[in-house]
Amino acid sequence: MILLDIVDANEKKKFIEGNSDFVEKTLPQIEIYKQFVLRVIGDGSRDEQEKKFKIGCEEVVKIYKYIFEFEGDEYYDRFDLDRNTKSKCIAAYNGHTYY
């Protein structure tokens, strides 16, 4: 949801279309994001942290692409994402409850 609060209209359009490199280039520089990736996608241990972080970041980019580019069903079961996730994000961003 924070990502959808992008101020630059062109960048927001690119993000919603699945063409933004924000997830790939900017987020990995944020420490709390690193902790999130290691906790959610990694096993949470300190062993091989950088390798797991890199792999986790790649997974997050794939999830972003799945949601906003509709590439395939690879992560549907793993992360319980459905085809309405993009619509739900946009509706929530606009202040609407999505049922």
Side-chain angles (χ1 to χ4, degrees):
M1 295 316 304
I2 293 169
L3 297 174
L4 290 178
D5 201 26
I6 298 169
V7 176
D8 182 312
N10 290 328
E11 184 60 32
K12 185 182 290 186
K13 183 176 187 277
K14 283 176 31 181
F15 182 86
I16 289 172
E17 292 173 348
N19 297 319
S20 176
D21 64 358
F22 184 82
V23 174
E24 187 175 358
K25 302 280 186 191
T26 305
L27 284 181
Q29 299 175 32
I30 302 170
E31 181 61 30
I32 196 73
Y33 174 76
K34 183 174 183 175
Q35 293 171 15
F36 167 78
V37 169
L38 289 171
R39 194 172 306 125
V40 173
I41 296 179
D43 64 6
S45 71
R46 297 283 182 196
D47 298 340
E48 301 180 30
Q49 224 178 16
E50 285 303 314
K51 180 180 175 184
K52 290 180 182 179
F53 178 64
K54 183 179 178 194
I55 291 168
C57 286
E58 291 168 0
E59 294 297 310
V60 171
V61 169
K62 288 177 185 176
I63 293 166
Y64 161 69
K65 297 277 186 193
Y66 168 81
I67 292 170
F68 288 92
E69 285 186 356
F70 301 101
E71 286 186 347
D73 292 334
E74 182 179 352
Y75 293 97
Y76 180 84
D77 293 330
R78 183 173 179 190
F79 293 103
D80 195 26
L81 300 173
D82 64 35
R83 289 293 183 194
N84 294 319
T85 301
K86 179 178 179 178
S87 298
K88 290 176 185 178
C89 288
I90 293 170
Y93 167 74
N94 289 322
H96 302 289
T97 304
Y98 193 95
Y99 296 99

